Amino acid sequence: MNARVPEGNALAPEGYDPHAFTPFAVTVDLAVFTVRSSALQVLLVERGQEPYAGRWALPGGFVLPRESAERAARRELAEETGLSDVSGLHLEQLRTYSEPDRDPRMRVVSVAFAALGPDLPEARGGGDAARAEWRPYGSFGALAFDHDSILADAHDRIGAKLEYSCLATSFCPPEFTLGELQQVYETVWGTALDRPNFRRKVLATPGFVEPTGGAARLTGGRGKPAALYRAGKATALHPPLLRPGGPRGSQPEGRTS
Amino acid sequence: MNARVPEGNALAPEGYDPHAFTPFAVTVDLAVFTVRSSALQVLLVERGQEPYAGRWALPGGFVLPRESAERAARRELAEETGLSDVSGLHLEQLRTYSEPDRDPRMRVVSVAFAALGPDLPEARGGGDAARAEWRPYGSFGALAFDHDSILADAHDRIGAKLEYSCLATSFCPPEFTLGELQQVYETVWGTALDRPNFRRKVLATPGFVEPTGGAARLTGGRGKPAALYRAGKATALHPPLLRPGGPRGSQPEGRTS
DNA sequence: ACAAAAGTGTTTTTCTTACACCCATGT
DNA sequence: ACATGGGTGTAAGAAAAACACTTTTGT
């Protein structure tokens, strides 16, 4: 990370030696997930210009001169979702996509983020995007650029992190029921979980959730009112809450257990 | 990741609208680990110029115009270690560091990688670095730039991935004994493991290791010759091999179990 | 009364842990 | 003979999985 910067470049101060060094455009791309009506939804924007005009893409934008990628991501998130208190949302760096031709126009390196939030309001297509919309994960065709890979990577990562972190509470409002929390797991993983066991597991992990103490709330009109919880201070989950059958698509063979 | 590129910039083709967009320098930084003589070692280079002249730093360098960050990382890895068959080493993107002032000279965004390899040869200080050396993890003072954070993040990540992936075999030569594999875990985690249990766990995971069939080998001069194994095709580890006590420093409180 | 959702209890099975013991080799 | 590292066995404990059952609400 040192040495070799060309002379005569706007970026390069004195004292660098004159080797190859290309300036890149740096952007952020966001895979924003929410759980709405028992479905995993993703925030997409419709592109206005070429290339990929009319195609859906992940929201994102350029990193500004004095911004970190994290700050840029949070700013873009606020702009695209129309939310003011983006501070509560979980934002996590995924990885950086830097294939030379990932953008046909120029050399763009993109730092991808995954963001999670509770049932978020309708997107209002802020900024440049022609339209912004929540779409159920898997219900749409190919996205622009390499956004299909980014989105798939984000989904994998979220699914994996649910196992060994307390991330799931980021999908829930400040106060939530254990049923809602369980639905987050079931929705992201696409599998049903045993309620009694899930409950025990969550409650047995200190700092995962803490009882709100307050009154119970009705969940879906019918049934017994559920107790309310809020997120605890823990971030890691030990021992982990493993999904049945392990991560999708990385198994060598059998092993049903 | 779309729209808003300024006019009059060398990078920008026609058809972009004239908003803010700064060119950034993009580099890769490598945290290269190996296990040598029962210690976790890191490859460091000594800086020749200011800033941080004379200080140790992680190897790295600029991403070339037609290179992805992954390719750049592998190229730098080959240059700095002096290895020719870098293709076998595990290389994994960690995350991107983009704080505006992480490099005092200019705006540099760095994509960090973690690399693992079996007992690697002496580094030969290739490229620009004044010197390159293997140093035991934790045996050196503050590194240049934000490389302390990068290295710490890399170590955390490696430790965590040993739990639920077959990554550990990347620290071993093509053929290795279970004792060597166990030492990888013990060295990275800094804890002792029960040999019989470790053995059972590894062998019970299909695709983790497969017997070489060939003859046994002496490990350290003394003791019974150990059977040889090679890495299997599996990448994930289900159920995981949890380290005793959970990840360092992320526990909310007790929970000895 | 019944459906729906929350919550409790119990049994079975599986995995982990701890530790005792034998094996093969070099000194 | 004994130290050293490899390999096997086994029994106690903890955790996960499966499932039966009670509670509280709305219709």
Side-chain angles (χ1 to χ4, degrees), chain A residues 1-4 16 22 24-25 29 47 62 65-67 69 76 93 96 98 101 105 107 238 247 255, chain B residues 1-4 16 21-22 24-25 29 47 60 62 65-67 69 93 96 98 101 105 107 238 247 255:
Chain A
M1 207 252 60
N2 43 312
R4 285 189 301 175
Y16 279 87
T22 341
F24 294 80
D29 281 318
R47 287 186 53 80
F62 286 100
R66 299 285 311 158
E67 238 179 8
E76 290 287 344
Q93 202 186 113
T96 293
S98 59
D101 295 309
R105 300 165 295 187
R107 191 66 204 271
H238 256 271
R255 186 156 190 87
Chain B
M1 205 251 62
N2 42 313
R4 285 190 301 172
Y16 280 87
F21 143 60
T22 341
F24 295 80
D29 282 318
R47 287 184 54 78
F62 286 98
R66 298 286 311 158
E67 236 180 9
Q93 202 186 113
T96 293
S98 59
D101 295 310
R105 300 164 295 188
R107 191 65 204 272
H238 258 269
R255 186 158 190 88

Side-chain angles (χ1 to χ4, degrees), chain A residues 1 4, chain B residues 28-34 42-45 58-62 67 69-92 113-118 120-128 132 134 170:
Chain A
M1 207 252 60
R4 285 189 301 175
Chain B
V28 292
D29 282 318
L30 276 71
V32 191
F33 292 99
T34 195
V42 188
L43 184 63
L44 297 182
V45 299
L58 298 179
F62 286 98
E67 236 180 9
E70 280 71 19
R71 280 232 325 197
R74 209 166 275 284
R75 176 178 51 74
E76 290 287 343
L77 184 58
E79 290 177 10
E80 311 272 7
T81 60
L83 283 175
S84 43
D85 73 329
V86 177
S87 54
L89 302 195
H90 175 87
L91 191 67
E92 162 174 335
F113 288 81
L116 309 181
L120 294 169
E122 262 319 313
R124 50 154 198 73
D128 344 291
W134 291 104
S170 301

Side-chain angles (χ1 to χ4, degrees), chain B residues 33 88-91 116-119 166-173 176 181 184 231:
Chain B
F33 292 99
L89 302 195
H90 175 87
L91 191 67
L116 309 181
D119 188 343
C166 298
L167 186 62
T169 55
S170 301
F171 274 106
C172 298
F176 52 88
L181 188 64
V184 168

